[in-house]
Amino acid sequence: DTGVSQDPRHKITKRGQNVTFRCDPISEHNRLYWYRQTLGQGPEFLTYFQNEAQLEKSRLLSDRFSAERPKGSFSTLEIQRTEQGDSAMYLCASSPRPTYRGGSSYEQYFGPGTRLTVT
Amino acid sequence: AQSVTQPDIHITVSEGASLELRCNYSYGATPYLFWYVQSPGQGLQLLLKYFSGDTLVQGIKGFEAEFKRSQSSFNLRKPSVHWSDAAEYFCAVGLRNTGFQKLVFGTGTRLLVSP
C-alpha cells in the first residue's frame, strides 16, 4: 500500500535561501493539496491542484511561494528568500477523482510532512 | 467565516478509561466532518468521517463520533483508551461550497494517557 510520500522529511536552511519540497501523491489520485502547520496549530490550507491545474491559492501563499504539478503526478512547493516565519511543517495530501455520489472522494490522505526550520 | 473549535488543548485520561474530545464548528451548510490523529512528527491519519445519514459514525481503532446538528458538534469518543492512543487529535470541516474539498482544521487536542 503506497501512501503519500514527501521529501525531504526535514530541512534546515538559513534565512534568505530558497527551498523546494516534493510530494508524491497516491497513484491515480488527481487532486493534490498543500497545507502548512505551525507549532500548536492545526493545518492551514495553502493550495490545491486538480491534475496539473492549480485551481485555488490561499492568501497565506505569498509571492515567495510557488507550487507546481507539471504532469499531474508529483508536486513541488518552492519557497524563495525564506524567512523565520516560514518555519513550519508542510503537509501534502491527495484525494481520488470524485464519484457520482461523492463519498470517499472527499477523504484526503496525508503524507508525513516536511519540517522546515529557518535559522 | 467557517471555523472549527476544539476547546480542550490538553486532556489526560487514565488507560482503560473512556474518552470524549469536543469539536464545534461554524458553517452555513451541512458540513462534511472529519477527525484526524497525528503522532509526533508524523502526518495526519483519518480516524472517521461524516457525510450524511446515520449521525453516529464508527471509525478505526475503536473510535466513534456523533454529529449533532442542533449543537453544531461532532465529538469523538472511545470507550476504553489505550496507551497507544496518546497523540494529537484534529477535527476538520470540509467546505462543500467550494469546487473542491478544502479542509478547515481546529487547533487540536493533545491526549495524554496515564498508566
Side-chain angles (χ1 to χ4, degrees):
Chain A
D1 180 15
T2 304
V4 178
S5 62
Q6 293 186 245
D7 183 69
R9 293 290 306 275
H10 304 273
K11 178 70 176 179
I12 300 174
T13 191
K14 293 185 177 180
R15 188 178 56 179
Q17 297 295 305
N18 299 345
V19 294
T20 300
F21 311 139
R22 177 180 170 124
C23 170
D24 287 89
I26 294 172
S27 60
E28 300 180 355
H29 279 193
N30 70 329
R31 298 180 167 197
L32 186 146
Y33 312 79
W34 285 98
Y35 291 82
R36 182 173 70 185
Q37 185 180 20
T38 53
L39 202 60
Q41 300 297 315
E44 296 174 290
F45 170 80
L46 291 178
T47 190
Y48 157 72
F49 289 85
Q50 182 170 307
N51 299 313
E52 65 275 9
Q54 186 175 21
L55 299 183
E56 183 79 12
K57 291 172 62 174
S58 164
R59 286 171 293 178
L60 293 174
L61 217 63
S62 75
D63 291 344
R64 296 184 297 106
F65 288 71
S66 63
E68 294 182 343
R69 194 183 183 198
K71 296 183 179 179
S73 56
F74 73 92
S75 175
T76 58
L77 177 67
E78 180 182 18
I79 309 174
Q80 296 182 328
R81 305 181 303 282
T82 53
E83 302 172 356
Q84 287 186 323
D86 297 331
S87 295
M89 174 81 90
Y90 290 84
L91 294 163
C92 177
S94 68
S95 64
R97 188 181 309 276
T99 61
Y100 173 71
R101 298 182 67 181
S104 63
S105 67
Y106 294 112
E107 296 179 15
Q108 292 182 23
Y109 298 85
F110 283 81
T114 294
R115 180 165 296 284
L116 173 65
T117 302
V118 182
T119 62
Chain B
Q2 301 85 2
S3 65
V4 176
T5 301
Q6 295 181 246
D8 303 306
I9 298 174
H10 297 100
I11 282 186
T12 300
V13 174
S14 299
E15 190 168 15
S18 64
L19 169 70
E20 182 168 26
L21 301 182
R22 296 183 290 166
C23 172
N24 292 92
Y25 66 89
S26 171
Y27 183 49
T30 301
Y32 288 167
L33 294 162
F34 304 84
W35 275 99
Y36 283 87
V37 61
Q38 186 178 35
S39 297
Q42 301 298 313
L44 285 82
Q45 181 183 22
L46 179 66
L47 284 177
L48 47 76
K49 61 188 181 289
Y50 172 77
F51 293 150
S52 64
D54 192 347
T55 56
L56 183 64
V57 293
Q58 303 296 320
I60 62 171
K61 304 185 179 185
F63 286 92
E64 67 177 26
E66 186 171 13
F67 169 57
K68 293 185 177 180
R69 184 187 304 276
S70 62
Q71 299 177 18
S72 297
S73 69
F74 188 56
N75 293 349
L76 182 71
R77 301 194 293 249
K78 186 170 184 178
S80 177
V81 168
H82 188 263
W83 64 267
S84 60
D85 294 324
E88 186 134 26
Y89 291 80
F90 292 95
C91 180
V93 168
L95 306 186
R96 292 190 292 172
N97 61 338
T98 56
F100 64 100
Q101 184 66 265
K102 171 182 173 180
L103 296 179
V104 175
F105 286 86
T107 52
T109 297
R110 181 167 297 280
L111 173 64
L112 304 174
V113 180
S114 61

Short mmCIF file of all heavy atoms in Angstrom, two decimals, chain A residues 6 30 85:
data_model
loop_
_atom_site.label_atom_id
_atom_site.label_comp_id
_atom_site.label_asym_id
_atom_site.label_seq_id
_atom_site.Cartn_x
_atom_site.Cartn_y
_atom_site.Cartn_z
N GLN A 6 6.61 12.36 0.96
CA GLN A 6 7.14 13.71 0.88
C GLN A 6 8.65 13.67 1.11
O GLN A 6 9.14 12.88 1.90
CB GLN A 6 6.48 14.62 1.92
CG GLN A 6 5.01 14.86 1.64
CD GLN A 6 4.41 15.88 2.59
OE1 GLN A 6 3.53 15.57 3.39
NE2 GLN A 6 4.88 17.13 2.49
N ASN A 30 -6.17 12.35 -8.50
CA ASN A 30 -5.98 13.50 -9.37
C ASN A 30 -6.01 14.82 -8.60
O ASN A 30 -5.73 15.87 -9.18
CB ASN A 30 -7.05 13.52 -10.48
CG ASN A 30 -8.44 13.84 -9.95
OD1 ASN A 30 -8.78 13.52 -8.82
ND2 ASN A 30 -9.24 14.49 -10.79
N GLY A 85 9.64 33.14 9.83
CA GLY A 85 8.22 32.85 9.95
C GLY A 85 7.74 31.73 9.05
O GLY A 85 6.61 31.26 9.19
#
